[in-house]
Amino acid sequence: MYNTIILRIKGKNVNKFIERINHKKINIYYIEYIKYNEVKIEVSYKDYDTILRLKTIYEVSIDGYKGIKKINNNINSNKYLLISLLFGIILFTILINTIFDIEVVYSGNKLREYIYKELEKNGIKKYHLVKSFDEIEDIKKGILEDNKDILEWIEIERVGTKYIVKIEPRKINIIEEDNKIYNIVSNRSAIIKSIEANSGEVVKKINNYVNKGDIIISSNISLNDEVKKQVSAKGSVYGEVWYKVNIVYPLNYYEEKETGNESIYYNISIFNKDINLSKYKDYKKEDEIIIKNDILPIYISKQKQREIEKIDYKLDKESGINKAMEEGRKKINNNLNDKEYIIDEKCLKISYKDSKIVLDIFYTVYKDITEYIEIEG
Amino acid sequence: MKIVRDMREYLFKDELEINVYLDKVDIVNYKELGEIDNNKITIYYDNGKITINGSNLTISKLLNNEVLIIGKINNVELGG
């Protein structure tokens, strides 16, 4: 009954033909008399050939199908459309997951080019597939760790098929003892919070707002508006600076945590299926092969198993926000030294995208803003 | 076992069965078809024949062991 065919039979005495079919022990599931000499019958598809052999003077034509044969028929007659549709879907999926542009937001050419190369090294390049959230986090961590001396901060944000990379270079203020004269300027916009001057004249006050490049400790020592002497400014300045961070945090949380338990078992592996007496529900394994079959994927090994605990749950909105805020704090703190700290944080915007929570967080940070600029001449 | 025997008897019935409904006659475990006509259909079974008289009689379903006849049924005769 699952694969039936509907036949239209025309002839002088259709009842005789039906009897003939019946004599051959062919089941007729449905008979419909259209005219005195025309009838529609439904029989199993496998009996169609037998009926064709019996037809003699009768006209037998196919009126339709039922069951899997019908589906096959529909697929066959629409195969070009279906193939085009499938191809279109695959192409669309590939295209929306392909990187078409990468932009590093930074004015300096040298560092920008360097970052492009680092991104390429980590697989982020044009006309390649986009990376997952975890991969991006690993790449950011890796780039920061490898370039601690030149990079303070890196953020990789995906906007459609484009990656926007924001960087904050690290300013190294190691000044060798030389005969050059330096001013101490602010390395970014900030509100001055503390000034420690070892030499030079302090020209700004606490709580003054300074822009990038403003002189804070000057090399000119003045008296009554007259420059009396020039010395190289030395000291440090801390200010209140601001960061706006975009955090994307997955609401579906999955983690594998090792419990510390481990055991060794003898294991038989047959077509990648392990057979052993392990007492652990989930574990990571390391195999030391004892005997192996060269033709089939079968081997006996001594397996070291480390028990793991799988943590897999969906965060609710509040927990998701808390985790994302924690992540943001961690990011900022990674780039702060012992004397620097977060003064305040404020969540500006919360949105949800593809079971991820997206937060825009504004941080106020107490940070070293000292930069030495050499005085020409 | 009795349960197994009862189940087999229920599942694999081989006795002639005639069910008469309004405008339909269903015959199970017949032997072969006889005469087919708008007003009369004859069905043979092991020990005789069944004659269905009526009008506009047609066979709606014809399986190896079951036949369904539809139309205006006047009477159903059992004969030897």
Side-chain angles (χ1 to χ4, degrees):
Chain A
M1 224 10 206
Y2 296 111
N3 249 340
T4 58
I5 186 170
I6 299 166
L7 300 171
R8 193 177 282 258
I9 300 165
K10 266 193 216 172
K12 216 170 158 184
N13 190 347
V14 288
N15 281 335
K16 268 269 173 265
F17 188 68
I18 287 170
E19 276 177 60
R20 210 188 286 175
I21 293 173
N22 183 244
H23 273 129
K24 288 283 174 187
K25 300 288 176 202
I26 293 173
N27 286 326
I28 305 175
Y29 301 108
Y30 177 73
I31 302 172
E32 185 190 330
Y33 287 85
I34 299 162
K35 283 192 262 198
Y36 72 94
N37 66 341
E38 195 176 336
V39 73
K40 240 196 304 194
I41 62 170
E42 185 183 336
V43 295
S44 276
Y45 183 71
K46 62 178 174 51
D47 294 324
Y48 176 55
D49 286 336
T50 315
I51 292 173
L52 282 181
R53 282 196 291 272
L54 293 174
K55 73 175 181 137
T56 57
I57 55 161
Y58 293 90
E59 277 172 41
V60 176
S61 59
I62 299 172
D63 221 41
Y65 297 91
K66 275 190 182 175
I68 293 170
K69 188 72 190 158
K70 184 174 183 178
I71 297 169
N72 277 345
N73 226 41
N74 279 339
I75 290 172
N76 255 331
S77 43
N78 293 303
K79 65 178 172 220
Y80 295 116
L81 175 66
L82 289 170
I83 290 168
S84 310
L85 202 63
L86 188 66
F87 178 72
I89 291 170
I90 293 169
L91 185 65
F92 179 72
T93 308
I94 291 171
L95 286 175
I96 60 168
N97 285 301
T98 301
I99 305 166
F100 283 101
D101 193 14
I102 303 170
E103 187 189 336
V104 176
V105 179
Y106 183 67
S107 52
N109 275 340
K110 209 170 156 189
L111 185 57
R112 205 170 63 233
E113 291 306 316
Y114 178 75
I115 295 296
Y116 276 122
K117 286 199 179 89
E118 284 291 301
L119 292 171
E120 243 182 68
K121 225 172 31 179
N122 283 285
I124 296 182
K125 36 186 166 172
K126 267 195 201 179
Y127 313 122
H128 279 65
L129 290 176
V130 296
K131 301 283 179 197
S132 68
F133 171 80
D134 290 332
E135 281 169 327
I136 292 284
E137 291 300 304
D138 289 340
I139 289 168
K140 280 182 338 197
K141 220 182 259 179
I143 293 177
L144 268 177
E145 265 168 30
D146 292 342
N147 300 284
K148 263 195 170 101
D149 51 343
I150 57 166
L151 261 189
E152 189 169 307
W153 172 266
I154 183 166
E155 183 63 47
I156 301 174
E157 192 187 336
R158 180 184 164 190
V159 178
T161 55
K162 180 177 176 175
Y163 274 123
I164 297 176
V165 182
K166 292 174 192 159
I167 55 170
E168 192 65 49
R170 190 180 284 277
K171 297 274 197 292
I172 299 167
N173 291 309
I174 298 164
I175 303 295
E176 291 164 9
E177 289 294 330
D178 55 22
N179 294 327
K180 295 185 184 153
I181 308 284
Y182 296 91
N183 278 337
I184 289 179
V185 302
S186 174
N187 66 5
R188 64 191 327 126
S189 302
I191 294 175
I192 298 173
K193 287 295 174 190
S194 94
I195 305 172
E196 206 179 288
N198 296 332
S199 73
E201 187 177 338
V202 176
V203 297
K204 295 283 183 188
K205 292 184 185 153
I206 302 289
N207 292 327
N208 272 174
Y209 177 84
V210 289
N211 287 311
K212 184 180 158 129
D214 284 357
I215 299 172
I216 303 170
I217 305 174
S218 174
S219 53
N220 294 332
I221 309 293
S222 322
L223 180 65
N224 299 329
D225 294 334
E226 201 184 320
V227 176
K228 294 287 182 192
K229 197 179 167 187
Q230 212 178 34
V231 296
S232 183
K234 274 191 200 141
S236 65
V237 184
Y238 281 80
E240 184 183 295
V241 301
W242 310 280
Y243 291 102
K244 189 176 156 203
V245 173
N246 177 269
I247 301 285
V248 179
Y249 198 86
L251 289 172
N252 295 325
Y253 182 79
Y254 178 78
E255 186 193 344
E256 283 179 6
K257 207 165 98 177
E258 287 192 29
T259 61
N261 297 330
E262 56 179 62
S263 296
I264 295 178
Y265 295 97
Y266 283 99
N267 176 70
I268 302 171
S269 175
I270 303 173
F271 289 91
N272 294 325
K273 183 108 177 84
D274 283 350
I275 303 165
N276 55 53
L277 296 168
S278 174
K279 59 184 179 192
Y280 302 134
K281 188 179 166 221
D282 298 305
Y283 55 86
K284 285 186 181 166
K285 61 181 183 182
E286 280 165 30
D287 279 308
E288 194 189 308
I289 295 175
I290 302 168
I291 306 168
K292 184 180 168 180
N293 186 297
D294 288 330
I295 300 161
L296 299 169
I298 299 171
Y299 61 83
I300 297 173
S301 64
K302 206 163 143 184
Q303 193 175 81
K304 185 178 175 185
Q305 295 178 352
R306 291 197 309 279
E307 190 186 18
I308 56 169
E309 193 190 324
K310 285 187 184 172
I311 302 165
D312 186 3
Y313 59 82
K314 192 173 160 73
L315 295 166
D316 60 37
K317 285 182 187 172
E318 206 182 306
S319 308
I321 292 169
N322 289 338
K323 286 274 181 193
M325 299 283 287
E326 231 174 84
E327 186 66 27
R329 259 175 251 131
K330 219 190 287 178
K331 266 190 182 171
I332 298 281
N333 282 325
N334 278 345
N335 296 307
L336 303 181
N337 63 33
D338 294 336
K339 292 184 184 169
E340 296 166 340
Y341 56 89
I342 297 173
I343 300 170
D344 191 25
E345 65 181 13
K346 202 185 209 87
C347 186
L348 299 175
K349 186 177 153 190
I350 302 171
S351 59
Y352 298 89
K353 184 180 163 186
D354 301 332
S355 74
K356 291 188 184 101
I357 188 166
V358 182
L359 258 57
D360 281 337
I361 312 172
F362 185 80
Y363 290 98
T364 309
V365 179
Y366 179 84
K367 202 152 165 45
D368 186 350
I369 57 170
T370 315
E371 187 180 341
Y372 285 85
I373 296 282
E374 192 187 334
I375 303 295
E376 306 264 332
Chain B
M1 276 171 23
K2 191 178 183 297
I3 293 174
V4 173
R5 200 176 56 235
D6 287 347
M7 219 131 117
R8 282 186 70 86
E9 275 173 17
Y10 178 76
L11 290 171
F12 303 114
K13 273 190 226 180
D14 56 5
E15 285 178 352
L16 174 73
E17 198 176 295
I18 306 170
N19 297 306
V20 181
Y21 305 97
L22 192 67
D23 299 337
K24 264 188 272 206
V25 174
D26 179 50
I27 300 169
V28 185
N29 295 320
Y30 73 95
K31 196 173 166 197
E32 65 178 318
L33 285 182
E35 194 186 324
I36 303 173
D37 197 81
N38 265 354
N39 302 313
K40 182 175 166 184
I41 292 178
T42 309
I43 309 285
Y44 291 97
Y45 64 98
D46 279 336
N47 301 324
K49 68 177 181 184
I50 306 154
T51 308
I52 297 124
N53 295 303
S55 55
N56 294 326
L57 296 177
T58 55
I59 296 176
S60 173
K61 191 188 263 193
L62 185 61
L63 304 179
N64 283 333
N65 65 342
E66 186 181 350
V67 59
L68 178 68
I69 296 150
I70 56 172
K72 187 170 184 307
I73 313 290
N74 289 340
N75 59 54
V76 177
E77 285 172 15
L78 279 167

PDB file of all heavy atoms in Angstrom, chain A residues 16 18-26, chain B residues 32-33:
ATOM      1  N   LYS A  16     -14.103  -7.633 -17.406  1.00  0.00           N
ATOM      2  CA  LYS A  16     -13.372  -8.863 -17.762  1.00  0.00           C
ATOM      3  C   LYS A  16     -11.896  -8.684 -17.456  1.00  0.00           C
ATOM      4  O   LYS A  16     -11.238  -9.593 -16.977  1.00  0.00           O
ATOM      5  CB  LYS A  16     -13.530  -9.143 -19.277  1.00  0.00           C
ATOM      6  CG  LYS A  16     -14.691 -10.031 -19.611  1.00  0.00           C
ATOM      7  CD  LYS A  16     -14.261 -11.521 -19.642  1.00  0.00           C
ATOM      8  CE  LYS A  16     -15.466 -12.427 -19.810  1.00  0.00           C
ATOM      9  NZ  LYS A  16     -15.942 -12.886 -18.525  1.00  0.00           N
ATOM     10  N   ILE A  18     -10.654  -6.675 -15.230  1.00  0.00           N
ATOM     11  CA  ILE A  18     -10.493  -6.687 -13.771  1.00  0.00           C
ATOM     12  C   ILE A  18     -10.456  -8.126 -13.263  1.00  0.00           C
ATOM     13  O   ILE A  18      -9.640  -8.488 -12.405  1.00  0.00           O
ATOM     14  CB  ILE A  18     -11.618  -5.874 -13.099  1.00  0.00           C
ATOM     15  CG1 ILE A  18     -11.363  -4.371 -13.334  1.00  0.00           C
ATOM     16  CG2 ILE A  18     -11.690  -6.145 -11.596  1.00  0.00           C
ATOM     17  CD1 ILE A  18     -12.493  -3.477 -12.952  1.00  0.00           C
ATOM     18  N   GLU A  19     -11.321  -8.960 -13.834  1.00  0.00           N
ATOM     19  CA  GLU A  19     -11.305 -10.388 -13.434  1.00  0.00           C
ATOM     20  C   GLU A  19      -9.975 -11.021 -13.771  1.00  0.00           C
ATOM     21  O   GLU A  19      -9.429 -11.811 -12.995  1.00  0.00           O
ATOM     22  CB  GLU A  19     -12.400 -11.144 -14.186  1.00  0.00           C
ATOM     23  CG  GLU A  19     -13.765 -11.070 -13.547  1.00  0.00           C
ATOM     24  CD  GLU A  19     -14.816 -11.797 -14.388  1.00  0.00           C
ATOM     25  OE1 GLU A  19     -14.663 -13.023 -14.605  1.00  0.00           O
ATOM     26  OE2 GLU A  19     -15.752 -11.120 -14.830  1.00  0.00           O
ATOM     27  N   ARG A  20      -9.440 -10.655 -14.910  1.00  0.00           N
ATOM     28  CA  ARG A  20      -8.153 -11.205 -15.347  1.00  0.00           C
ATOM     29  C   ARG A  20      -7.054 -10.816 -14.366  1.00  0.00           C
ATOM     30  O   ARG A  20      -6.201 -11.627 -13.991  1.00  0.00           O
ATOM     31  CB  ARG A  20      -7.839 -10.654 -16.749  1.00  0.00           C
ATOM     32  CG  ARG A  20      -7.010 -11.602 -17.601  1.00  0.00           C
ATOM     33  CD  ARG A  20      -6.574 -10.965 -18.874  1.00  0.00           C
ATOM     34  NE  ARG A  20      -7.631 -10.829 -19.854  1.00  0.00           N
ATOM     35  CZ  ARG A  20      -7.484 -10.203 -21.025  1.00  0.00           C
ATOM     36  NH1 ARG A  20      -6.348  -9.644 -21.337  1.00  0.00           N
ATOM     37  NH2 ARG A  20      -8.488 -10.144 -21.872  1.00  0.00           N
ATOM     38  N   ILE A  21      -7.122  -9.548 -13.949  1.00  0.00           N
ATOM     39  CA  ILE A  21      -6.139  -9.061 -12.976  1.00  0.00           C
ATOM     40  C   ILE A  21      -6.305  -9.835 -11.672  1.00  0.00           C
ATOM     41  O   ILE A  21      -5.329 -10.268 -11.050  1.00  0.00           O
ATOM     42  CB  ILE A  21      -6.321  -7.539 -12.727  1.00  0.00           C
ATOM     43  CG1 ILE A  21      -5.959  -6.732 -13.976  1.00  0.00           C
ATOM     44  CG2 ILE A  21      -5.454  -7.076 -11.560  1.00  0.00           C
ATOM     45  CD1 ILE A  21      -6.289  -5.252 -13.849  1.00  0.00           C
ATOM     46  N   ASN A  22      -7.551 -10.025 -11.292  1.00  0.00           N
ATOM     47  CA  ASN A  22      -7.844 -10.709 -10.030  1.00  0.00           C
ATOM     48  C   ASN A  22      -7.355 -12.145 -10.051  1.00  0.00           C
ATOM     49  O   ASN A  22      -6.850 -12.663  -9.052  1.00  0.00           O
ATOM     50  CB  ASN A  22      -9.356 -10.637  -9.758  1.00  0.00           C
ATOM     51  CG  ASN A  22      -9.710 -11.258  -8.424  1.00  0.00           C
ATOM     52  OD1 ASN A  22     -10.415 -12.267  -8.346  1.00  0.00           O
ATOM     53  ND2 ASN A  22      -9.215 -10.678  -7.349  1.00  0.00           N
ATOM     54  N   HIS A  23      -7.457 -12.774 -11.254  1.00  0.00           N
ATOM     55  CA  HIS A  23      -6.988 -14.162 -11.369  1.00  0.00           C
ATOM     56  C   HIS A  23      -5.498 -14.265 -11.144  1.00  0.00           C
ATOM     57  O   HIS A  23      -4.998 -15.304 -10.713  1.00  0.00           O
ATOM     58  CB  HIS A  23      -7.320 -14.717 -12.763  1.00  0.00           C
ATOM     59  CG  HIS A  23      -8.700 -15.307 -12.805  1.00  0.00           C
ATOM     60  ND1 HIS A  23      -9.610 -14.965 -13.780  1.00  0.00           N
ATOM     61  CD2 HIS A  23      -9.329 -16.172 -11.980  1.00  0.00           C
ATOM     62  CE1 HIS A  23     -10.745 -15.600 -13.550  1.00  0.00           C
ATOM     63  NE2 HIS A  23     -10.601 -16.339 -12.457  1.00  0.00           N
ATOM     64  N   LYS A  24      -4.789 -13.200 -11.456  1.00  0.00           N
ATOM     65  CA  LYS A  24      -3.337 -13.183 -11.256  1.00  0.00           C
ATOM     66  C   LYS A  24      -2.963 -12.824  -9.818  1.00  0.00           C
ATOM     67  O   LYS A  24      -1.789 -12.583  -9.526  1.00  0.00           O
ATOM     68  CB  LYS A  24      -2.696 -12.149 -12.209  1.00  0.00           C
ATOM     69  CG  LYS A  24      -2.693 -12.585 -13.650  1.00  0.00           C
ATOM     70  CD  LYS A  24      -1.614 -13.614 -13.893  1.00  0.00           C
ATOM     71  CE  LYS A  24      -1.696 -14.159 -15.304  1.00  0.00           C
ATOM     72  NZ  LYS A  24      -0.785 -15.269 -15.515  1.00  0.00           N
ATOM     73  N   LYS A  25      -3.970 -12.807  -8.952  1.00  0.00           N
ATOM     74  CA  LYS A  25      -3.766 -12.516  -7.513  1.00  0.00           C
ATOM     75  C   LYS A  25      -3.169 -11.130  -7.302  1.00  0.00           C
ATOM     76  O   LYS A  25      -2.361 -10.922  -6.398  1.00  0.00           O
ATOM     77  CB  LYS A  25      -2.828 -13.568  -6.861  1.00  0.00           C
ATOM     78  CG  LYS A  25      -3.344 -14.978  -6.932  1.00  0.00           C
ATOM     79  CD  LYS A  25      -4.517 -15.160  -5.997  1.00  0.00           C
ATOM     80  CE  LYS A  25      -5.092 -16.552  -6.153  1.00  0.00           C
ATOM     81  NZ  LYS A  25      -6.474 -16.630  -5.703  1.00  0.00           N
ATOM     82  N   ILE A  26      -3.566 -10.183  -8.151  1.00  0.00           N
ATOM     83  CA  ILE A  26      -3.100  -8.807  -7.978  1.00  0.00           C
ATOM     84  C   ILE A  26      -4.167  -8.074  -7.169  1.00  0.00           C
ATOM     85  O   ILE A  26      -5.339  -8.083  -7.532  1.00  0.00           O
ATOM     86  CB  ILE A  26      -2.884  -8.118  -9.344  1.00  0.00           C
ATOM     87  CG1 ILE A  26      -1.701  -8.791 -10.069  1.00  0.00           C
ATOM     88  CG2 ILE A  26      -2.651  -6.624  -9.194  1.00  0.00           C
ATOM     89  CD1 ILE A  26      -1.499  -8.302 -11.480  1.00  0.00           C
TER      90      ILE A  26
ATOM     91  N   GLU B  32     -13.326 -16.805  -5.720  1.00  0.00           N
ATOM     92  CA  GLU B  32     -13.104 -16.120  -6.996  1.00  0.00           C
ATOM     93  C   GLU B  32     -14.344 -15.320  -7.392  1.00  0.00           C
ATOM     94  O   GLU B  32     -15.426 -15.501  -6.851  1.00  0.00           O
ATOM     95  CB  GLU B  32     -12.736 -17.097  -8.114  1.00  0.00           C
ATOM     96  CG  GLU B  32     -13.826 -18.081  -8.487  1.00  0.00           C
ATOM     97  CD  GLU B  32     -13.417 -18.989  -9.624  1.00  0.00           C
ATOM     98  OE1 GLU B  32     -12.813 -18.508 -10.582  1.00  0.00           O
ATOM     99  OE2 GLU B  32     -13.737 -20.179  -9.535  1.00  0.00           O
ATOM    100  N   LEU B  33     -14.104 -14.453  -8.376  1.00  0.00           N
ATOM    101  CA  LEU B  33     -15.203 -13.624  -8.859  1.00  0.00           C
ATOM    102  C   LEU B  33     -16.015 -14.412  -9.865  1.00  0.00           C
ATOM    103  O   LEU B  33     -15.486 -15.198 -10.639  1.00  0.00           O
ATOM    104  CB  LEU B  33     -14.671 -12.389  -9.582  1.00  0.00           C
ATOM    105  CG  LEU B  33     -14.082 -11.255  -8.751  1.00  0.00           C
ATOM    106  CD1 LEU B  33     -13.675 -10.134  -9.671  1.00  0.00           C
ATOM    107  CD2 LEU B  33     -15.073 -10.764  -7.737  1.00  0.00           C
TER     108      LEU B  33
END
